[in-house]
Amino acid sequence: GQNIDQPTEMTATEGAIVQINCTYQTSGFNGLFWYQQHAGEAPTFLSYNVLDGLEEKGRFSSFLSRSKGYSYLLLKELQMKDSASYLCAVRDSNYQLIWGAGTKLIIKP
Amino acid sequence: ETGVTQTPRHLVMGMTNKKSLKCEQHLGHNAMYWYKQSAKKPLELMFVYSLEERVENNSVPSRFSPECPNSSHLFLHLHTLQPEDSALYLCASSPQEGATNEKLFFGSGTQLSVL
């Protein structure tokens, strides 16, 4: 079966750096997405990776290794507003999106 | 503001009630989706519409009935639900259905409680 694994919850300190990991086993691979979802709000798109390597976008970066079935989202200079759930999703060979259960990130002052 | 609006934000209903969830997108997208989000579980795709035609129904019980009257509006009609149907129901849209790199635009969801 297809599976996406991410940690259920992480805690980090304001101003620090945190890395949220995502590992996947899917039928084929057509890209990996990260979304951010604040409590009670809509998930919003953060990043898309289809080739190996690091994509940087301001304080957020996303990394992909297709051979390892692995991605991470790196958040730098953490702010209180970064407290949210982070969802990892993979598009498989049938172009279906396979979702992880999300990682709840708690930022402490 | 994502351009996708869902109403109501919260809904409490009994198992014998009939209610409808509404979704509207102002983005000119051709594809619309219903997802179910339960606590600590992955998003579950329920229905997909492309150009107002249903293209996917992921073995969803018949007590959930979708309707897409045009490319901007999507409804989810609910009847004789069960307590395990309590969840956050998210609507999403995208320019095309199933394109490799296209992102989804989500609404804020309807938090449904079935008593």
Side-chain angles (χ1 to χ4, degrees):
Chain A
Q2 307 202 86
N3 193 50
I4 307 272
D5 286 315
Q6 355 176 188
T8 302
E9 188 173 299
M10 299 182 70
T11 302
T13 304
E14 190 177 15
I17 298 173
V18 71
Q19 178 175 308
I20 302 174
N21 296 326
C22 171
T23 58
Y24 61 90
Q25 300 90 38
T26 57
S27 302
F29 179 83
N30 277 303
L32 185 144
F33 296 82
W34 284 98
Y35 284 81
Q36 179 190 58
Q37 185 179 21
H38 286 101
E41 296 184 15
T44 55
F45 170 81
L46 286 178
S47 66
Y48 172 75
N49 294 69
V50 67
L51 299 176
D52 290 351
L54 187 68
E55 296 270 349
E56 296 187 70
K57 196 183 292 186
R59 293 189 301 114
F60 292 10
S61 303
S62 56
F63 172 83
L64 174 67
S65 169
R66 287 172 297 171
S67 63
K68 296 182 179 178
Y70 168 70
S71 172
Y72 66 74
L73 183 68
L74 190 71
L75 290 73
K76 301 177 183 177
E77 301 169 16
L78 286 170
Q79 302 176 10
M80 297 304 292
K81 67 179 182 180
D82 298 329
S83 292
S85 289
Y86 292 85
L87 311 179
C88 175
V90 171
R91 198 175 289 282
D92 70 10
S93 57
N94 292 320
Y95 297 94
Q96 303 297 308
L97 270 177
I98 313 302
W99 293 85
T103 298
K104 182 178 180 180
L105 178 62
I106 299 168
I107 309 298
K108 296 186 174 180
Chain B
E1 183 59 52
T2 63
V4 180
T5 304
Q6 289 187 244
T7 54
R9 290 295 306 272
H10 302 274
L11 179 62
V12 179
M13 59 187 289
M15 288 190 283
T16 58
N17 291 158
K18 289 183 180 181
K19 297 286 184 183
S20 295
L21 310 184
K22 179 182 176 183
C23 177
E24 183 175 0
Q25 57 101 355
H26 311 278
L27 301 168
H29 289 169
N30 288 328
M32 296 188 77
Y33 311 77
W34 279 117
Y35 278 93
K36 176 182 179 182
Q37 186 176 35
S38 302
K40 299 184 179 180
K41 290 187 177 180
L43 288 179
E44 297 175 45
L45 180 63
M46 300 175 72
F47 301 103
V48 182
Y49 278 82
S50 179
L51 296 171
E52 302 153 44
E53 290 205 14
R54 190 190 307 180
V55 297
E56 189 154 348
N57 172 357
N58 278 359
S59 303
V60 179
S62 59
R63 56 186 184 269
F64 294 91
S65 174
E67 179 189 0
C68 188
N70 56 62
S71 59
S72 299
H73 292 86
L74 187 64
F75 295 88
L76 188 62
H77 303 298
L78 316 171
H79 64 98
T80 58
L81 293 191
Q82 305 298 310
E84 60 265 28
D85 297 322
S86 298
L88 181 68
Y89 288 84
L90 290 166
C91 173
S93 72
S94 67
Q96 306 293 335
E97 187 267 329
T100 306
N101 63 341
E102 280 189 359
K103 59 189 179 185
L104 295 175
F105 292 76
F106 285 90
S108 296
T110 295
Q111 186 65 55
L112 174 67
S113 297
V114 181
L115 304 179

